[in-house]
Amino acid sequence: MVKHEGHGSGRHYSFSQPAPSHAPALVSVIGATVILYVAKDVLLPLAIAVLLTFALAPITSRLRKLGLPRTLAVIITVVLAFVVLVVFALIVAGQVAEVAQNVAAYQSNIIGKIRALQESGSDNGLVRRIMSVVENVGRELNNADEDGVGQEALVPTREPLLVEIFAPNRPIETLTSLISPLIGPIASLGLVVVVVIFMLLEREELRDRLIRLVGYGDLHRTTEALQEAGRRVGQYLLTQLLINCAYGIPLALALWVVGIPNAILWGMLAIVLRFVPYIGPALSTVLPLFLAFAVDPGWGLVLWVAGIFIVLELTSNNIIEPWLYGSRTGLSPLAIIVAAIFWGWLWGPVGLVLSTPLTVCLAVLGRYVPRFEFLEVLFGSEPVLDPKERLYQRFLAGDPDEATDQAEELLQEDYLEDYYRDVAIPALLLAEQDRRRGVLTNEQMLQVAETATTLVANLEEIADEEEQEEDEQPEEAEQDGVELPADQELPDGTGMTVFCAGGRGPLDDASAAMLGQVLRVQGAEVTLQKHSDMLKDRRNELVPSDVASIVICFLNESSARHARILLRRFKRTHPRTRVGFVIWRTETEGFATADIDADFTARDITTAVREALSDTPASVVLPQRKFRIRRPPVVRASES
């Protein structure tokens, strides 16, 4: 769209840039999802191999620093890693088989507890349904055993037929039937091992080829993306493994001490399941609790197991994780949940385990590739709006409560002066820009101003705390013999009265309220008025007689003429009072106040507070008013 600006022959043309379309990127994402789903048998082992390469690369680098050759370091790392995985899988499989054999023995305890609940008065449909399910499961298990024994007793003549299984032409078929289900997993495992070995051996070569393929035009950005992806994924996998081991090993020991069967299994499952975000820790808790419920006729073992999990969760969440996590994954909690659902649907249980590291790679892709920037926006943990934009959005929504929550979060590290200078005043400037562009209606402007004023009122408690801190700091510094830097401290306003008002609109009134609160923190007595009150008060009777300075706030930078009018008004009634104007700005360029011949002018809240509390005498004196002498009309001779 072309817009014509200006008048006359000299016209200026400005071209409005169309918003970038995300349709090609969205089509690419949909196509990639289809490919991932259709070719998961091939891509899933490759994805596992890539992530294992990220995790094992630091170990290989450490072995190489010890002096081992590259090939030997890679082989040692891969062999040790996969031996640990195979031993882990074999132990879990054996423990699971043992638990399956003992399930029928726990039936009587489960039925007894459910009947106790039913007899205690909680006679509802849920208990009855659970009771029926448990009895049916037990009946089926018993029937299966009885059927097997009965068939052997009723058909003893068929026993010799079993000899045919061991005939010379049968062992090959038997061996094939046993091995064929294992061919797929073994082949996938072998493929993963081979790919990991070659990736570790040719890691630098693969990196260079990837850079040449996708990022040769911007080596700096591509290198940063690869380094960040490798660092974040590798750090996540190793750190999560350490955290899970620090959780699973004590869990197995504690369950073994209290008498839970197969305690090793539950500790090992906790190590694996906690890789699945949010769902995994819950599953690792439910299974041992259910087993404690089934094993013990009473309730003491269930309470012991629940206490173990509570202690371990508190220790892991509050001590181990903050200590080991040097940096987070960079993903928002909602993104982690959505990613787990997506990758679980796409690749099943393995996708659940791989969901977080794979999503980390997508977030890094969105950070460094502009075409896929929406991935960083969707999955990243960094705020997508600046604090001033978030605050302005809350102003538009008329939500002072959330605006106050955001302010209190920032004020944990900053002072009110910093918050108003860097966040709140710039948010009001955004509102003023929208007002001047005509996109902010009068109703919205009043709502923004009212919400901003409510925010200032909500921060009054923090202002009182800062005022008390201002009173205590000089005494502590004097006792310690430390001299506070003069260029960083605002002047003390005790005993001074300052008049603050908005210049031309409700948004200016809100900015004046913010300035007035900072002045009160410095100990000054502040008289705050709205711009509408000044319009009604032509004689300036609202201004106290002992006022030390008068400060008028403007958000509109084109208010020089109106400021001069107000200057004359105040100087006629208060000639010895310092009168200054604050025309809020967020940048230094283009700020010109030469047309405003005031005692002081400021562009930010720090300068405004220093000038308002300054003991410099007033320097502006109004020129004497010129009086016109009326002359009698001249009578022409022709008229006489």
Side-chain angles (χ1 to χ4, degrees):
M1 180 183 295
V2 181
K3 298 180 180 179
H4 302 276
E5 298 178 355
H7 302 280
S9 59
R11 290 191 176 184
H12 303 281
Y13 298 89
S14 65
F15 297 87
S16 59
Q17 298 294 334
S21 175
H22 295 295
L26 185 60
V27 172
S28 301
V29 171
I30 295 175
T33 303
V34 174
I35 293 174
L36 290 173
Y37 184 79
V38 174
K40 66 179 180 180
D41 294 335
V42 177
L43 296 178
L44 184 56
L46 292 177
I48 296 174
V50 171
L51 295 178
L52 287 177
T53 303
F54 281 134
L56 299 178
I59 302 176
T60 305
S61 300
R62 184 63 59 87
L63 292 178
R64 291 192 61 193
K65 290 180 180 179
L66 295 177
L68 294 178
R70 177 193 296 270
T71 304
L72 183 59
V74 170
I75 292 176
I76 291 176
T77 303
V78 174
V79 168
L80 288 178
F82 281 95
V83 165
V84 171
L85 291 177
V86 170
V87 172
F88 188 94
L90 291 176
I91 294 175
V92 170
Q95 293 287 319
V96 169
E98 185 177 347
V99 171
Q101 293 176 358
N102 298 329
V103 168
Y106 306 141
Q107 178 189 359
S108 60
N109 291 335
I110 298 175
I111 293 176
K113 288 185 178 180
I114 294 177
R115 285 176 177 172
L117 291 175
Q118 194 172 9
E119 293 172 359
S120 65
S122 55
D123 187 14
N124 52 40
L126 178 61
V127 175
R128 287 194 299 270
R129 282 193 293 270
I130 295 176
M131 183 75 174
S132 176
V133 169
V134 173
E135 290 178 346
N136 290 335
V137 171
R139 190 180 302 112
E140 292 296 332
L141 291 174
N142 294 331
N143 291 338
D145 295 338
E146 293 175 359
D147 291 342
V149 175
Q151 288 177 1
E152 293 179 358
L154 292 174
V155 195
T157 57
R158 294 186 180 182
E159 286 187 6
L161 296 178
L162 296 175
V163 179
E164 296 181 1
I165 299 177
F166 300 98
N169 59 340
R170 294 294 185 180
I172 297 179
E173 296 180 3
T174 304
L175 186 62
T176 302
S177 62
L178 293 175
I179 294 178
S180 57
L182 302 177
I183 292 178
I186 293 175
S188 299
L189 180 62
L191 177 63
V192 170
V193 173
V194 172
V195 172
V196 169
I197 291 175
F198 277 96
M199 281 188 172
L200 289 174
L201 287 174
E202 301 183 2
R203 185 175 52 173
E204 291 79 6
E205 180 68 19
L206 290 173
R207 179 199 60 201
D208 296 341
R209 291 180 181 275
L210 183 61
I211 291 175
R212 184 64 180 88
L213 182 64
V214 299
Y216 188 69
D218 193 348
L219 291 176
H220 175 72
R221 182 182 292 270
T222 307
T223 303
E224 283 189 351
L226 292 176
Q227 289 179 345
E228 182 174 349
R231 175 181 56 80
R232 287 169 62 175
V233 173
Q235 186 176 17
Y236 164 77
L237 291 174
L238 290 178
T239 306
Q240 191 65 43
L241 178 61
L242 291 176
I243 292 174
N244 293 355
C245 290
Y247 185 95
I249 295 175
L251 174 64
L253 293 174
L255 294 179
W256 175 75
V257 169
V258 298
I260 295 294
N262 306 103
I264 297 177
L265 174 63
W266 312 122
M268 299 176 76
L269 285 181
I271 294 176
V272 176
L273 289 174
R274 287 179 68 87
F275 277 102
V276 180
Y278 300 104
I279 304 173
L283 292 177
S284 64
T285 303
V286 169
L287 295 175
L289 282 174
F290 178 77
L291 189 60
F293 177 82
V295 170
D296 187 16
W299 295 93
L301 192 57
V302 177
L303 297 177
W304 273 107
V305 173
I308 291 171
F309 277 105
I310 291 173
V311 172
L312 288 177
E313 286 291 341
L314 292 176
T315 305
S316 177
N317 296 335
N318 298 297
I319 298 177
I320 299 178
E321 289 189 13
W323 176 51
L324 289 178
Y325 268 131
S327 61
R328 297 291 180 177
T329 59
L331 302 178
S332 65
L334 180 60
I336 293 176
I337 296 176
V338 174
I341 296 173
F342 173 78
W343 291 107
W345 163 76
L346 199 64
W347 285 349
V350 180
L352 286 174
V353 178
L354 303 180
S355 61
T356 299
L358 290 175
T359 310
V360 167
C361 296
L362 293 179
V364 173
L365 176 68
R367 173 174 295 185
Y368 290 97
V369 180
R371 184 178 180 182
F372 296 99
E373 184 181 1
F374 69 95
L375 294 175
E376 169 67 14
V377 175
L378 291 176
F379 298 139
S381 60
E382 296 295 329
V384 295
L385 296 178
D386 291 336
K388 63 177 181 296
E389 295 171 341
R390 294 178 62 195
L391 182 60
Y392 178 41
Q393 196 273 334
R394 291 295 87 199
F395 285 169
L396 287 172
D399 187 359
D401 295 331
E402 186 173 345
T404 304
D405 294 338
Q406 296 175 4
E408 290 176 347
E409 182 179 352
L410 295 175
L411 288 171
Q412 292 178 358
E413 299 179 358
D414 296 331
Y415 289 101
L416 278 172
E417 171 203 355
D418 304 319
Y419 174 73
Y420 286 146
R421 181 189 63 235
D422 300 332
V423 180
I425 298 296
L428 293 178
L429 285 171
L430 292 177
E432 174 63 20
Q433 292 175 6
D434 286 347
R435 186 196 66 81
R436 296 180 64 185
R437 292 191 300 117
V439 298
L440 192 69
T441 64
N442 290 332
E443 292 78 8
Q444 290 176 326
M445 181 180 63
L446 292 175
Q447 180 170 276
V448 169
E450 182 180 356
T451 307
T453 306
T454 305
L455 170 65
V456 175
N458 292 342
L459 298 179
E460 192 64 34
E461 183 177 353
I462 296 179
D464 294 338
E465 295 176 357
E466 290 191 10
E467 183 178 0
Q468 184 178 1
E469 183 180 349
E470 289 288 335
D471 296 337
E472 295 174 354
Q473 278 185 351
E475 298 178 0
E476 295 177 356
E478 184 178 356
Q479 293 176 0
D480 298 337
V482 179
E483 185 177 355
L484 296 176
D487 58 341
Q488 297 182 3
E489 293 296 321
L490 295 178
D492 185 13
T494 304
M496 301 181 66
T497 302
V498 180
F499 178 83
C500 285
R504 303 186 67 178
L507 297 178
D508 298 335
D509 297 338
S511 67
M514 297 175 183
L515 174 60
Q517 191 173 66
V518 177
L519 289 169
R520 283 194 294 270
V521 170
Q522 298 307 121
E525 185 72 24
V526 178
T527 300
L528 193 64
Q529 295 295 336
K530 298 181 179 180
H531 76 287
S532 56
D533 296 333
M534 290 196 305
L535 292 176
K536 301 175 183 178
D537 180 42
R538 292 295 181 180
R539 297 183 179 181
N540 297 330
E541 295 178 352
L542 297 176
V543 181
S545 58
D546 59 343
V547 67
S549 59
I550 299 173
V551 185
I552 310 300
C553 301
F554 294 96
L555 289 166
N556 189 347
E557 59 185 11
S558 303
S559 301
R561 180 175 177 275
H562 190 72
R564 288 195 300 270
I565 295 174
L566 293 177
L567 177 66
R568 295 192 186 97
R569 282 180 51 188
F570 289 119
K571 279 298 182 180
R572 289 193 187 100
T573 55
H574 299 79
R576 297 183 180 181
T577 301
R578 286 169 54 82
V579 180
F581 298 94
V582 185
I583 301 182
W584 304 106
R585 301 279 292 190
T586 56
E587 67 278 351
T588 56
E589 296 182 0
F591 178 70
T593 56
D595 295 337
I596 308 176
D597 190 16
D599 292 303
F600 64 89
T601 55
R603 56 174 288 274
D604 58 68
I605 197 166
T606 303
T607 306
V609 172
R610 288 177 178 172
E611 292 290 347
L613 300 181
S614 175
D615 54 1
T616 304
S619 59
V620 175
V621 179
L622 286 180
Q624 294 182 355
R625 298 182 66 178
K626 297 180 180 180
F627 297 93
R628 293 183 179 181
I629 301 176
R630 291 182 174 272
R631 297 180 180 180
V634 179
V635 180
R636 298 180 180 179
S638 60
E639 295 178 356
S640 61

